[in-house]
Amino acid sequence: MKFDDKIPIYYQIKNYIYREIIVGKLAPGDKLPAVRQLAVDLTVNVNTVQRALGELISEKIIEPQRGKGNFVTEDRDTIGKLKKMLITEQLQDLYENLHKLNVSDEEIVSYLENYINERKQVQL
Amino acid sequence: MTNTIEIKDLNYRKNYRSILEDVNLNIGKGKTVGLLGENGAGKTTLMRLIAGVAKGGSGSITIDGKTDVPVKKSFVSFSEQLNGFNPSMRIDKIIRFYEDVYPDFSTEKYNKMAGFLQIDEGLRLSALSKGMKEKLVIGLTLSRDAKVYLLDEPFGGIDSMSRKKIIQSIIKWKSDDAVILVSDHYVSEIASILDEVVIIKDRTIYTQKSAEEIRSKYAEGIEQYYESIYEGNDIDD
């Protein structure tokens, strides 16, 4: 995976793991690769992986089990909240960018509907 | 004490020319640190001083609490460019030499790394490509059980696949407590594995910063930050 060197890497690792969980590549209860293996796979420093995992643990997204490793939470509620957070982030960007273009709330809704319909047409 | 390397008031002259002035530097246990600076800034000299290969100068260099040169030497594994070996020497002979000279050299570790880096031990030194030679240097250097590894410009002029393999082997085989100091001017390639960067400019340590701090505080890449120091902050792209 390619990192953006302008953004803290621990933050990008967190986002990467969030996404793996949301798209189901890491299922609830799955074991995460060992810290060093993650570091090698992502070509990052072991300490940076530790920091990212530390935050994921305090967010209860992953659960450490002594001597066994780190596991994705099996709490559906936590994963649901995570998904909502990621979606909200995307919507927030979209909303703010369109507002900067002087698009009103009502227009945003209609533009979005039109856009989705057009995409459906293209796919058919 | 958590600093593996402590350098105090180091001054170094060569042929009446000042190379390093008032260098003060602490590097904590387990850190991977990028030593950045222009050619001729003094990166190699600083590494040679830490390794105990260059002598003289004033001030002190402490490695893991020790200042005694032979003890320090045994703590530091410095990537040497194998220039002292006969070019017709076979790789396996060089490995035997390392086994004999360095008591902390682990053949088991070397064999694992050599397999990963795909080093052909039947070849002679003169037959190695630049990338292969650098892989060998890294393999030999990291196979010692040292407290400090000094990698002097390991990526100069080598292909991107070799570079990637070398970076991966650094992550894979660095022990948790060991310090790795890697000098380079291709900053972007190693940026993601660094804990800290140390920038040498005008014969001294210009700054020492955490890599993540540069990203979060300045919203800059390591390369950009480094270039802005050398070019002056007022220059636009």
Side-chain angles (χ1 to χ4, degrees):
Chain A
M1 126 162 231
K2 261 278 174 222
F3 289 102
D4 181 344
D5 197 38
K6 293 188 185 66
I7 299 168
I9 291 186
Y10 83 92
Y11 182 80
Q12 297 181 68
I13 296 171
K14 276 176 69 182
N15 271 310
Y16 165 77
I17 294 173
Y18 284 159
R19 277 157 202 276
E20 296 281 288
I21 293 173
I22 296 306
V23 303
K25 277 192 190 160
L26 281 171
D30 271 4
K31 185 176 188 255
L32 266 72
V35 174
R36 195 175 295 261
Q37 190 54 50
L38 266 173
V40 173
D41 292 346
L42 302 171
T43 328
V44 295
N45 188 301
V46 169
N47 298 327
T48 315
V49 175
Q50 294 277 28
R51 181 174 174 191
L53 294 182
E55 292 204 1
L56 291 169
I57 289 167
S58 60
E59 291 168 10
K60 302 211 177 352
I61 305 289
I62 61 173
E63 287 163 4
Q65 284 180 28
R66 199 172 283 272
K68 286 186 183 164
N70 295 309
F71 295 81
V72 178
T73 180
E74 292 187 80
D75 183 44
R76 302 276 164 184
D77 205 33
T78 306
I79 294 179
K81 278 182 193 150
L82 173 64
K83 186 170 181 179
K84 196 178 170 218
M85 185 190 87
L86 292 183
I87 293 171
T88 306
E89 265 178 21
Q90 298 294 324
L91 289 176
Q92 200 175 348
D93 281 353
L94 179 75
Y95 184 80
E96 280 168 12
N97 287 332
L98 289 174
H99 261 235
K100 280 183 198 151
L101 294 170
N102 289 332
V103 182
S104 71
D105 288 358
E106 294 74 26
E107 283 173 311
I108 290 176
V109 174
S110 78
Y111 273 114
L112 194 57
E113 271 177 8
N114 282 337
Y115 180 76
I116 291 169
N117 285 331
E118 277 168 28
R119 284 297 289 253
K120 278 184 186 157
Q121 292 297 320
V122 173
Q123 281 163 11
L124 284 175
Chain B
M1 195 200 68
T2 51
N3 286 326
T4 297
I5 303 178
E6 287 190 4
I7 301 177
K8 277 203 184 83
D9 304 322
L10 176 71
N11 284 274
Y12 183 76
R13 305 173 73 85
K14 202 175 172 185
N15 303 329
Y16 304 104
R17 198 165 71 88
S18 173
I19 311 278
L20 292 169
E21 292 173 3
D22 302 321
V23 170
N24 285 284
L25 181 66
N26 291 331
I27 292 177
K29 198 167 163 178
K31 300 275 191 221
T32 303
V33 180
L35 182 62
L36 313 177
E38 281 182 335
N39 283 331
K43 302 189 292 287
T44 302
T45 303
L46 183 58
M47 284 197 169
R48 288 170 55 84
L49 284 161
I50 294 170
V53 184
K55 290 176 186 68
S58 62
S60 69
I61 299 177
T62 311
I63 312 280
D64 203 40
K66 302 286 192 296
T67 49
D68 188 39
V69 174
V71 178
K72 281 197 292 185
K73 271 192 172 171
S74 71
F75 286 171
V76 179
S77 182
F78 185 33
S79 67
E80 284 155 290
Q81 285 306 308
L82 308 173
N83 294 330
F85 291 97
N86 187 325
S88 66
M89 200 164 178
R90 268 181 29 189
I91 306 306
D92 50 1
K93 284 268 169 55
I94 295 178
I95 296 158
R96 297 295 93 76
F97 176 85
Y98 267 73
E99 286 172 345
D100 290 344
V101 172
Y102 299 109
D104 61 347
F105 184 85
S106 160
T107 308
E108 194 194 335
K109 193 173 172 190
Y110 173 80
N111 286 338
K112 279 187 193 158
M113 289 187 72
F116 179 78
L117 293 167
Q118 293 166 306
I119 299 169
D120 181 354
E121 285 165 23
L123 291 173
R124 293 177 193 282
L125 197 52
S126 57
L128 299 184
S129 68
K130 218 167 176 184
M132 188 57 82
K133 193 174 163 202
E134 202 51 61
K135 285 181 185 172
L136 173 65
V137 168
I138 293 293
L140 291 169
T141 308
L142 295 184
S143 293
R144 286 184 54 197
D145 183 22
K147 297 185 191 297
V148 177
Y149 298 91
L150 304 173
L151 310 180
D152 193 12
E153 308 222 347
F155 308 111
I158 67 169
D159 60 286
S160 61
M161 270 320 287
S162 300
R163 218 179 290 140
K164 199 173 171 196
K165 281 269 183 184
I166 288 173
I167 291 174
Q168 283 176 328
S169 54
I170 293 173
I171 303 169
K172 240 177 144 110
W173 280 286
K174 175 191 173 299
S175 66
D176 289 344
D177 290 348
V179 162
I180 292 192
L181 192 58
V182 47
S183 72
D184 208 348
H185 38 242
Y186 296 89
V187 189
S188 58
E189 279 144 8
I190 52 162
S192 68
I193 66 160
L194 301 178
D195 289 297
E196 292 177 357
V197 292
V198 168
I199 297 177
I200 297 197
K201 194 191 172 195
D202 301 330
R203 296 181 291 281
T204 193
I205 307 293
Y206 183 85
T207 189
Q208 177 180 18
K209 280 216 156 55
S210 131
E212 292 284 67
E213 187 192 336
I214 292 171
R215 297 183 186 106
S216 61
K217 214 173 186 175
Y218 306 93
E220 274 186 339
I222 308 298
E223 176 116 50
Q224 228 182 337
Y225 178 76
Y226 164 65
E227 283 175 356
S228 74
I229 281 170
Y230 262 93
E231 289 167 0
N233 293 307
D234 50 355
I235 293 174
D236 287 330
D237 285 335

